[in-house]
Amino acid sequence: MLNLTEKFREMKQRGEKITALTAYDYPTARLLDESGIDIILVGDSLGMVVLGYEDTTRVTLDEMLHHTRAVSRGVSKAVLVADMPIHTYATPEQALATARQFVEAGAKAVKLEGGVSRSGEIEAITGAGIPFMAHIGMLPQHVREEGGYKVKGRTQSEVEALLADAQAVQKADAFSVVLEIVVADIAKRITQSIEIPTIGIGSGENCDGQILVTHDLIGLFPWFTPKFVSPEARVAEEIRKAARAFIERTRGPGALSNRDGSD
């Protein structure tokens, strides 16, 4: 754990931006790993972009372990982090047991949502020598309670809570912390206030690194794209084009005339 923690702290000190993307299957993981990405996250966002759920609150441990195993087969250089799904870290004992299952599935580190309120669970994980990535700000597993995906850090009480969360996860030995949908100026303030790197998603450019859902980055989930994402590709449209070309080729006059019933 110390080597991983030192690696990312040193990147922060050098001003070297950390890059992270999600993967849920072997080919995507292998492509990202070959690209030189620093961190590959098996995110519970797979609930929406892979499994078709409305949000992440229905994702199960078995589903996350299944996808972690697949991704691990394609990763040789990047740090593979796995999300711990909702209802799998209610106590320090449960959190550690869950984390160990992810390590057995091939993850090099785990992530769960929460700061101060989850200090005990985080300490149980890091105390057992399992590297840990924290996640504060907007917590997708609480989206139903909060009534949507809301920007954090707009009020003084939220700012104070975020700063306390950042200090808490650092004290609990997290090697980095994801800041999700935090007001940019507050994300910058948090970044400057702690020694571990911040990795932003929808939290401005002043974090120590950035993470995105790969499906958003490459335009593979066209039915919804977050406002803070500018897709670098339009993979969904390319798939549609390829499928249409196959349909037209298969149904074309030549294909029909060649059907002699022998197949």
Side-chain angles (χ1 to χ4, degrees), residues 10-147:
E10 289 174 1
M11 289 180 72
K12 178 184 178 96
Q13 292 168 359
R14 292 194 302 267
E16 183 178 347
K17 294 289 187 178
I18 297 165
T19 58
L21 288 168
T22 61
Y24 318 103
D25 55 51
Y26 169 81
T28 303
R30 184 167 176 176
L31 289 169
L32 295 182
D33 195 59
E34 291 173 354
S35 77
I37 202 82
D38 295 311
I39 296 171
I40 293 176
L41 172 68
V42 185
D44 59 0
S45 48
L46 70 84
M48 295 173 285
V49 300
V50 175
L51 302 179
Y53 296 149
E54 184 179 353
D55 52 46
T56 65
T57 62
R58 291 182 58 189
V59 177
T60 68
L61 178 58
D62 284 344
E63 288 168 340
M64 289 300 302
L65 291 171
H66 171 84
H67 288 273
T68 299
R69 293 186 192 99
V71 169
S72 70
R73 298 181 190 114
V75 178
S76 61
K77 298 184 291 293
V79 176
L80 175 55
V81 182
D83 261 341
M84 295 170 61
I86 193 169
H87 306 313
T88 66
Y89 50 90
T91 65
E93 295 77 16
Q94 185 189 30
L96 179 55
T98 300
R100 283 174 168 158
Q101 289 186 70
F102 278 110
V103 172
E104 291 174 3
K108 300 303 181 185
V110 296
K111 179 169 77 67
L112 63 76
E113 297 181 2
V116 172
S117 65
R118 292 298 178 190
S119 294
E121 287 73 32
I122 298 170
E123 288 172 356
I125 292 168
T126 58
I130 299 173
F132 178 80
M133 172 186 279
H135 184 148
I136 65 176
M138 170 58 205
L139 307 180
Q141 292 176 8
H142 294 264
V143 64
R144 296 192 181 188
E145 301 164 28
E146 300 202 354

Side-chain angles (χ1 to χ4, degrees), residues 191-255:
T191 300
Q192 295 172 338
S193 73
I194 56 177
E195 296 178 3
I196 61 174
T198 59
I199 302 175
I201 178 167
S203 299
E205 299 179 351
N206 291 304
C207 296
D208 297 304
Q210 297 290 329
I211 184 169
L212 283 178
V213 171
T214 296
H215 286 56
D216 294 336
L217 177 69
I218 65 175
L220 186 54
F221 195 81
W223 307 280
F224 174 76
T225 301
K227 294 179 181 179
F228 54 81
V229 176
S230 297
E232 296 289 345
R234 302 288 177 182
V235 172
E237 187 54 36
E238 292 303 311
I239 291 174
R240 290 190 181 113
K241 288 179 182 178
R244 289 170 186 148
F246 169 75
I247 292 168
E248 291 173 4
R249 184 172 71 245
T250 302
R251 292 177 176 174

Side-chain angles (χ1 to χ4, degrees), residues 113-119 122 132 134-139 152 157-174 176-179 182 190 193-194 196:
E113 297 181 2
V116 172
S117 65
R118 292 298 178 190
S119 294
I122 298 170
F132 178 80
H135 184 148
I136 65 176
M138 170 58 205
L139 307 180
K152 296 296 181 178
S157 62
E158 286 185 351
V159 171
E160 292 173 357
L162 286 167
L163 288 168
D165 282 340
Q167 291 293 337
V169 299
Q170 175 175 268
K171 184 178 179 181
D173 287 334
S176 63
V177 55
V178 171
L179 305 182
V182 173
I190 294 169
S193 73
I194 56 177
I196 61 174

